[in-house]
Amino acid sequence: MRHHTTFRQLEIFEAIARLGSFTRASEELFLTQPTVSMQIKKLTEAVGVPLFEQIGKKIHLTPDGQELAQASREIFGIMDRYVMSVAERRGLKQGQLRLTAITTASYFAPRLLGEFARLHPGIDVSLRVTNKEQVLAGMADNLDDLYFVGQPPEDIDVVATPIMDNPIIVLAAPDHPLAGAKKIPLERIAKEPWLMREKGSGTRNAIERMFAGQSLNLHPRLELGSNEAIKQAILAGLGISALSRHALALNQPGQFAELDVEGFPILRHWYAVYPAGRQLSVVARAFLDHLLGRDKPASSGLDGPKPVSGSRP
């Protein structure tokens, strides 16, 4: 196997194993699907056993595939440690920085990464934006240097550092009857048709806790899978919602009305998270220091790594 298997084949295999899809792996690696299929066929021939099996429309790892996936991660870990040692000797002139962010963080993560890349042009940076489930899966497998999340996981041992305020505000169409009203009671706003993210969303959890604390229940008119879909539904007059203020980063001023509701904004944070057992590379540590050294509002209260449920102190 050693003479017939390439590092690239293992990289492709690991991506398919992690994402559960040939298509998504080809998109992440910027390869065509025929190329991905051909490389996996060669890898399968080299090891001599099936690595995947198809059940219905989904592919699953065989027991041999699971073993190879674990071996691949160990190989990549060895390479990462080697690259880290080289980077330590060369400082920040060369190296890699791999980030993964939940979808909502796409409003600010590219800007933060761009600032760092301009300061250190020799660093090879990458950013993957995906859903919460894929972020947690990558975190559990220790695949990337840092992860941007709005809520640190409770069932994975992590170090979570708050890097930015994340206020949750109530949004409506500009011509909404409550636009311009002051100190709207929660009881009143609860009667409005609400547009909500899917169950399990950190933003939705924060909103529901707010209303439950006042013995109020929200009955969503629509559940939508992205902030952009919610914003379009707001402008279409289908209801109101509460989103991160960062979700308005690309919108024109005045395009939405921010309602003055009692108890809002809900003050939360964005976190940079990494597995507690991972040793940060020189580059990743420099990037985290860069994030903490940026100008922040006095209300942010950012003072270094913060112990969270599920994380080591």
Side-chain angles (χ1 to χ4, degrees), residues 32-307:
T32 64
Q33 287 193 50
T35 298
V36 168
S37 298
M38 179 183 66
Q39 292 300 322
I40 292 301
K41 180 181 179 181
K42 290 182 178 180
L43 178 61
T44 303
E45 292 173 349
V47 298
V49 293
L51 300 173
F52 297 101
E53 58 184 351
Q54 186 161 347
I55 302 176
K57 295 184 178 180
K58 295 185 177 180
I59 61 170
H60 300 267
L61 288 170
T62 64
D64 292 300
Q66 293 174 0
E67 188 175 349
L68 182 58
Q70 179 60 37
S72 298
R73 285 191 286 268
E74 292 175 1
I75 291 170
F76 296 145
I78 292 171
M79 289 300 298
D80 286 344
R81 289 191 290 274
Y82 169 74
V83 171
M84 185 187 304
S85 68
V86 173
E88 288 174 348
R89 291 194 298 271
R90 296 188 176 186
L92 292 178
K93 294 181 180 179
Q94 291 184 355
Q96 292 183 329
L97 177 64
R98 295 176 301 182
L99 307 176
T100 294
I102 62 170
T103 307
T104 310
S106 64
Y107 295 109
F108 67 85
R111 175 173 55 83
L112 299 183
L113 188 58
E115 292 174 355
F116 184 76
R118 284 192 295 272
L119 291 172
H120 307 286
I123 301 299
D124 180 17
V125 300
S126 67
L127 171 65
R128 184 167 64 98
V129 177
T130 186
N131 59 36
K132 180 180 178 181
E133 289 72 21
Q134 290 297 324
V135 170
L136 293 179
M139 201 181 297
D141 289 335
N142 197 13
L143 296 176
D144 298 297
D145 294 306
L146 291 169
Y147 301 82
F148 286 149
V149 296
Q151 180 177 338
E154 297 181 354
D155 55 353
I156 303 176
D157 199 10
V158 299
V159 176
T161 303
I163 58 169
M164 184 183 297
D165 287 343
N166 181 25
I168 307 301
I169 59 176
V170 181
L171 295 176
D175 58 353
H176 191 279
L178 293 177
K182 301 296 183 183
K183 297 183 178 179
I184 304 167
L186 282 181
E187 295 85 352
R188 170 66 184 87
I189 209 71
K191 297 176 182 178
E192 290 291 310
W194 276 77
L195 311 169
M196 302 287 278
R197 289 292 302 270
E198 69 282 0
K199 291 182 179 179
S201 159
T203 300
R204 176 168 178 165
N205 290 342
I207 298 167
E208 290 180 337
R209 283 196 299 268
M210 162 75 76
F211 283 86
Q214 300 297 320
S215 300
L216 297 170
N217 293 318
L218 293 179
H219 302 285
R221 184 177 190 179
L222 292 176
E223 290 186 1
L224 300 167
S226 72
N227 289 345
E228 291 305 309
I230 287 179
K231 290 194 291 184
Q232 290 301 315
I234 291 173
L235 294 178
L238 294 174
I240 66 171
S241 189
L243 298 175
S244 167
R245 184 172 280 139
H246 291 284
L248 299 180
L250 303 179
N251 291 99
Q252 296 295 322
Q255 191 171 1
F256 293 88
E258 179 179 342
L259 301 186
D260 183 7
V261 179
E262 292 181 350
F264 284 86
I266 301 173
L267 298 180
R268 304 177 72 219
H269 290 108
W270 288 108
Y271 293 86
V273 174
Y274 62 93
R278 184 184 185 96
Q279 180 183 356
L280 285 185
S281 69
V282 171
V283 174
R285 174 55 61 187
F287 179 65
L288 188 56
D289 290 344
H290 168 75
L291 296 180
L292 296 176
R294 298 172 64 256
D295 292 336
K296 301 179 181 68
S299 62
S300 63
L302 305 183
D303 53 3
K306 177 182 180 181

